[in-house]
Amino acid sequence: MASTTVLPAEALPCLIAYIYKRWTRLSFSDIPGPKADSFLLGNLSELFVGPAAEADFKWKEAFGSVVRYKGILGDDHLMISDPKALQYILHTSAYHFLKETGGRRAISHLLNGHSLNSVDGDIHKRHRKVMIPAFGAPEARALFPAFRKMSQELMARWKDITTQDFESGSIVFNIPRWLSRATLDAIGEAAFDYQFGALNNSQTELGKAYENVNAALFGIPTSSRVFWDNFIDWLPSWLVEKLMTVLPNKRYKKIRYTSDVSTRVAKQLVREKRNAVGLGKENKDVMSLLVRANASTDPKAQLSDEELYAEMRIILFAGHETTSNTLTWTLWELAKHPDFQTQLRNEIRATEAKTESELTLADMERMPYLQAVLKEGLRFHPAISRLMRLVKDDEVIPLSKPFTTISGAVRSELAISAGTKIMLALAAYNRDKEICGPDADTFNPGRWLSGNDRNKEHTSIGVVGNTYVISITLFRRFTARECSMTFSSGTRSCIGWRFAMAEMQCFLVDLINNFEFSPTEDEKRIRREGPALMFPVVEGEIEDGVKLPLRVSIAARD
Ligand code: HEM
């Protein structure tokens, strides 16, 4: 009886129909790709268990921008990094490529509810329309004081520790642990006017639930988890969601716990925001703007309360470790390249010397080297290295460059059938030598500063074309061609990119202005991990979780 509760009788025909569809669709055996390691797991171990995005780089180098790889039980998948194909998938025909596949969609629903991030088609359009007004340029600017407050709190904590423990003149910090707490506090303050208390160790239940949530849920998987996560993609989402609500495994328990805590807080916050809006208060946090925008939307297009709770949960989930990881990796590069670090510090101090008061966001946006370093950090270490999509109907995808099949035919389009899983390789795109130049595999902020040798003929993609700083006209001359897909592109590009840019500028300026960073003896053992969100670990100390130690000292002033 118990098993019929978990796996109802209707599930069996569904499963058979799904498997039949998988086996009878168009074959990709003529498309070049790596040899599968096993029938059971195909190439998925290399893809998901190995260092983040390494397989993507290797396959792109060996086979090009369209690569066939094997999923479980011989299933064919495609990895795509061709610009024209990405443009078609993310802009032109975006709603024909479903956001998540079965298992991932189920996890997303359970964790974050039916939010902007996991709904498709007209529902996504409705969600996005209500949410867009809360994420504009003026709104991101208005949040700058909240970011500054948290950044200053981090500086004060570090100065406190460094002056107390300073014997050798420096101290080693596990950078992502600190930045994850600081950005959690920042998103609480800016997005919800909510105090997580993560930096001062007075954490709320919600703060505890979200600390390093990504690594806990999606961190380095075992082979059996890779098999299971992909097997459940073959099942309908409703069934997988049902399984996840009852199975006693540790990961699903963590998802259920995080989901319960965040829903409880979301309900309370939405109630408070609604009361404040009713009283005519002009709060600037994202959630207040969202509640206000929803109230003034045509009732038929409004978000329901459940949907508002889901938006709060996805903002928290999508907007927290993405920024802390990007900052971590950028500091890592600056620590390894002291000349870049000094150049940035000199620019910050020169700007400071010119301004009478504290640096504003506008001052930071006028700093070309700061913009260049941030963009290079985003390009080189994209927090989300890949996106997964499921093809809804049979499609013919255009390509910017023809490819040659194994049997020697030249194809300038890609015919692909409904139900195919595709992986959009953002990290591999960001290192495309034809787009980013011959030094694409090198961290080089200079590429964003002057005329560069990138191919100007390629299809234009990436968030808001080639300018993703807030003052578009001011910075047009500083930006390079689009060689960064880190915020994705098109219909469902990152809605929080302006928020992220404002926050990251603020933290990076304060960090580099106040402290000097250098690698520790662990330098050679730092590895990028994570099948979804990329995070750092120290080889041989993986059980410590997210870790990137850097030596930190107070930055001298003349
Ligand atoms: C460096 C920081 C960030 C990076 C690299 C990043 C990257 C991305 C990417 C690649 C996507 C597309 C996901 C997909 O299509 O599957 C996305 C979507 C999204 N991001 Fe961000 N993000 C960042 C920061 C933020 C912040 C700060 C917020 C909120 C305050 C946010 C909220 C969202 C939401 C809600 C979506 C879903 C959009 C939709 O489906 O229409 N992100 N982000």
Side-chain angles (χ1 to χ4, degrees):
M1 278 309 283
S3 67
T4 49
T5 326
V6 174
L7 205 69
E10 314 89 274
L12 196 60
C14 287
L15 181 59
I16 293 169
Y18 266 69
I19 293 173
Y20 176 75
K21 267 205 266 172
R22 291 283 189 271
W23 281 92
T24 52
R25 67 165 183 241
L26 211 69
S27 161
F28 297 128
S29 51
D30 207 21
I31 296 181
K35 196 171 170 300
D37 302 324
S38 74
F39 177 69
L40 204 61
L41 276 170
N43 300 100
L44 299 186
S45 277
E46 188 180 355
L47 200 59
F48 294 127
V49 184
E54 286 303 320
D56 316 26
F57 299 144
K58 200 170 104 190
W59 296 351
K60 184 169 165 56
E61 182 75 30
F63 306 108
S65 299
V66 177
V67 178
R68 188 249 330 119
Y69 67 94
K70 290 282 178 194
I72 60 165
L73 306 176
D75 199 18
D76 276 328
H77 301 182
L78 291 176
M79 174 181 112
I80 297 178
S81 57
D82 176 277
K84 204 163 175 183
L86 290 177
Q87 188 189 47
Y88 183 82
I89 294 164
L90 293 166
H91 292 243
T92 321
S93 200
Y95 288 136
H96 292 163
F97 296 87
L98 300 177
K99 178 61 206 297
E100 314 261 7
T101 51
R104 290 164 68 97
R105 185 183 286 267
I107 291 186
S108 189
H109 284 170
L110 197 63
L111 186 63
N112 298 315
H114 291 241
S115 72
L116 180 70
N117 189 48
S118 63
V119 290
D120 277 301
D122 287 344
I123 305 179
H124 177 264
K125 237 184 246 169
R126 178 170 59 82
H127 280 238
R128 186 114 182 164
K129 200 166 163 214
V130 178
M131 286 183 75
I132 279 283
F135 288 93
E139 289 71 24
R141 284 184 185 288
L143 296 175
F144 186 70
F147 297 138
R148 203 68 206 266
K149 183 177 154 195
M150 293 338 302
S151 171
Q152 295 288 329
E153 194 168 323
L154 177 67
M155 298 314 118
R157 289 285 314 237
W158 276 15
K159 278 188 179 157
D160 209 28
I161 299 173
T162 40
T163 41
Q164 275 170 26
D165 296 358
F166 238 21
E167 276 172 21
S168 60
S170 67
I171 190 161
V172 172
F173 283 128
N174 180 12
I175 301 293
R177 290 302 277 213
W178 281 96
L179 288 181
S180 159
R181 285 189 282 152
T183 56
L184 184 61
D185 281 348
I187 202 150
E189 192 85 23
F192 315 118
D193 194 13
Y194 177 89
Q195 281 69 48
F196 279 104
L199 264 182
N200 63 19
N201 294 323
S202 60
Q203 274 213 32
T204 59
E205 196 185 3
L206 188 59
K208 283 194 193 112
Y210 273 86
E211 208 181 326
N212 287 317
V213 63
N214 259 295
L217 297 181
F218 304 108
I220 311 166
T222 57
S223 295
S224 55
R225 203 184 93 196
V226 169
F227 182 84
W228 170 248
D229 279 357
N230 281 273
F231 175 73
I232 58 177
D233 277 351
W234 292 24
L235 305 175
S237 296
W238 62 263
L239 177 60
V240 182
E241 277 178 54
K242 200 165 179 170
L243 288 174
M244 286 179 188
T245 54
V246 293
L247 289 180
N249 103 16
K250 201 171 144 202
R251 185 161 161 245
Y252 295 158
K253 276 189 186 160
K254 166 83 180 163
I255 297 179
R256 294 198 284 266
Y257 168 71
T258 310
S259 158
D260 287 349
V261 180
S262 62
T263 310
R264 207 170 343 112
V265 177
K267 281 185 182 169
Q268 180 204 328
L269 282 177
V270 168
R271 204 169 36 239
E272 285 171 14
K273 306 291 169 202
R274 200 169 268 149
N275 290 343
V277 170
L279 293 170
K281 292 196 180 151
E282 292 283 319
N283 295 349
K284 300 256 183 288
D285 64 277
V286 174
M287 204 64 202
S288 294
L289 299 178
L290 190 52
V291 167
R292 209 172 301 139
N294 197 39
S296 57
T297 302
D298 168 9
K300 278 194 242 121
Q302 275 176 358
L303 300 180
S304 68
D305 278 3
E306 289 301 325
E307 287 169 336
L308 279 175
Y309 308 151
E311 303 312 2
M312 189 209 113
R313 290 156 67 195
I314 190 61
I315 291 169
L316 190 51
F317 187 75
H320 149 219
E321 288 180 353
T322 43
T323 45
S324 66
N325 276 336
T326 305
L327 282 168
T328 298
W329 288 117
T330 307
L331 288 177
W332 163 241
E333 293 298 341
L334 293 175
K336 288 192 298 175
H337 299 97
D339 46 336
F340 297 161
Q341 193 181 148
T342 306
Q343 191 172 342
L344 179 55
R345 187 169 301 111
N346 290 345
E347 184 185 66
I348 296 168
R349 291 186 177 173
T351 315
E352 222 177 26
K354 273 192 258 157
T355 52
E356 299 287 295
S357 49
E358 284 217 333
L359 291 180
T360 62
L361 181 59
D363 293 325
M364 294 181 188
E365 288 171 1
R366 266 185 236 112
M367 292 161 62
Y369 200 65
L370 169 68
Q371 303 303 324
V373 167
L374 253 182
K375 286 178 197 171
E376 188 65 350
L378 283 157
R379 179 190 77 86
F380 207 68
H381 297 286
I384 300 171
S385 59
R386 320 159 162 146
L387 304 178
M388 300 303 294
R389 293 291 191 265
L390 187 70
V391 183
K392 190 170 168 220
D393 304 306
D394 293 355
E395 287 281 348
V396 177
I397 301 178
L399 298 171
S400 50
K401 220 166 90 180
F403 72 97
T404 307
T405 63
I406 294 170
S407 58
V410 177
R411 301 254 182 269
S412 53
E413 292 175 329
L414 182 65
I416 187 167
S417 47
T420 305
K421 251 199 233 180
I422 51 177
M423 182 183 102
L424 311 181
L426 304 188
Y429 172 90
N430 287 2
R431 301 238 191 142
D432 189 314
K433 294 192 174 63
E434 285 181 23
I435 300 168
C436 302
D439 66 343
D441 285 326
T442 310
F443 181 88
N444 170 21
R447 80 179 65 254
W448 299 93
L449 288 172
S450 52
N452 52 66
D453 47 3
R454 264 172 293 289
N455 174 6
K456 308 236 185 304
E457 300 305 314
H458 77 87
T459 304
S460 170
I461 47 171
V463 107
V464 287
N466 64 348
T467 49
Y468 57 75
V469 286
I470 294 172
S471 305
I472 285 173
T473 41
L474 259 181
F475 283 91
R476 191 175 292 274
R477 71 197 171 93
F478 295 129
T479 51
R481 300 284 300 176
E482 310 75 5
C483 66
S484 178
M485 278 285 289
T486 298
F487 287 116
S488 183
S489 188
T491 311
R492 27 191 353 152
S493 59
C494 177
I495 202 169
W497 70 270
R498 290 187 181 89
F499 184 118
M501 287 301 284
E503 180 182 359
M504 293 189 299
Q505 285 173 76
C506 179
F507 274 90
L508 196 57
V509 163
D510 281 342
L511 286 163
I512 296 298
N513 199 6
N514 288 287
F515 299 99
E516 228 174 279
F517 297 85
S518 51
T520 65
E521 55 286 0
D522 294 324
E523 178 177 357
K524 298 269 178 297
R525 293 191 295 134
I526 304 295
R527 249 183 33 201
R528 308 197 308 181
E529 278 292 343
L533 185 87
M534 200 156 63
F535 55 86
V537 293
V538 177
E539 206 170 282
E541 296 169 28
I542 287 180
E543 60 292 345
D544 290 354
V546 181
K547 195 167 177 185
L548 196 156
L550 286 183
R551 187 161 289 287
V552 179
S553 55
I554 305 267
R557 287 188 178 265
D558 298 333

